[in-house]
Amino acid sequence: MKSEGKKIIQNIFWLMFDKIFILLLQFFIGIKVANHYGATLFGKYSYAISIIAFSNIFFELINGRIIKKYYTDKNFDEIVYNINFFKNTISLVIFIVLIILNFIYKFDKILFMLLIFLSLDNILITATSGIENFFEFKLEARRIVISNNIVKLISYTIQYFGIIFNQDIVFIAIVSCFGSFLRLLIIKYQYKYTYLNNIGIIKEKIKLELLKKMINESKYLWLTFISFLVYTQTDKIMIKYYLGLRELGIYTIGMQLSSVLAILIVPIQNSLFPKFLKLYREDYKKYYNFYLISNTIITQIYLMITFISILVVNYSFKYIYSKEYTGAIIIYSILAFSILFKANGSLQSSHMTIKNITKKSFYKTLLSLVVNIILNMILIPKLGINGAAIATLVTQFIALFLIDFFIEEYREQAIIQLKSFNTIYFFKNFKRILKEKGR
């Protein structure tokens, strides 16, 4: 039997591997897709993805962390079945609503086909949402990761051949559906083989009272999620409204490149959280110092790689993307600094959770949404897609740094984040850490 600590470490490793592997596939095949179809068609595809992304508002009515509180050795399949039913039903309703709306508003033909196949993809993905949550609960991310990576490799290979044989952009969405269907089969097989073989036939029931209870417990997390989702998707919708699909395609490339820069943040958060919790319970002074040193190291590393990455992107971009995407270089250069502030504030959610001071985080997210919308309305008409990137940077600065100085419970983390920009402190403490390890 593996120790819990070892299982946690291995789980984190598999999650990191999944992110890196899929990001690399998306990056290399994504370049081919963007260059082949051009900024306008690629922008239409990105716009369709942004619209479908709003369906997560309904899926998150039941938060994944709340679901995990209900699992027991006896009822896990009941929970899994009800979550699959709940989310799958919502995705099916969205699919039907899209078809009805097309009869009323008559969408652009290509956009409609993209929306239909992307919403069908939602149906296939949500069919295993309960199983995936249960695998996460059991610290068995490996099962999801292996399934994802096998399917993604097949899907992206087919997409690549589709580009070679000059298939239209709807083909990309069709292939995603095919990949999700394969993934559904693999994950369902793993679940049944591993957990259901030894417990006989189960009479599965829909339990509306259980779902209502979960929804009620999830309501504050749901409100926070809505604000976050709208905030992260608003710029794309507004770019399409003010500037058109071509500009949205260019902006999307800059965003995709910035997501590569952010790849270290989530694994760092997950890896340091257990250490934070342990020190907080033992000695607050040690906890505070560890938080300060960790945050300083993260910030200083991101300070360095932010500037280096901007130089690399400026130099190498012309060798990778076609000329029509050149505007994405400036977008990346601006968004890279928003990633810097994201890295600087990456540990604050752990700190707030441990100290049980998360209540006001919803108001921070809501304020971010309002600020972002206002800035986009002002800056996009004046500065184009660069205005959208600046709006994101300013919003991240306010939400993850500035506003915390004005909230008493969050002032401590704001001061830590401010100190983390001190390069002299970084080198002094780095030397001290090395000395302590050498003793």
Side-chain angles (χ1 to χ4, degrees), residues 13-14 45 69 104 119 200 220 251 253 264 298 316 339 354 358 360 366 372 406:
F13 165 78
W14 279 108
Y45 182 65
K69 290 170 60 178
I104 300 170
S119 60
Y220 293 114
Y251 184 79
I253 294 298
L264 296 171
I298 294 166
S316 62
I339 300 298
I354 290 169
T358 57
K360 292 182 181 177
L366 185 62
N372 191 253
F406 299 95

Side-chain angles (χ1 to χ4, degrees), residues 89-106:
T89 302
I90 290 173
S91 61
L92 185 60
V93 170
I94 291 169
F95 181 80
I96 294 168
V97 167
L98 275 172
I99 295 172
I100 294 170
L101 286 175
N102 185 55
F103 283 110
I104 300 170
Y105 295 106
K106 295 292 179 187

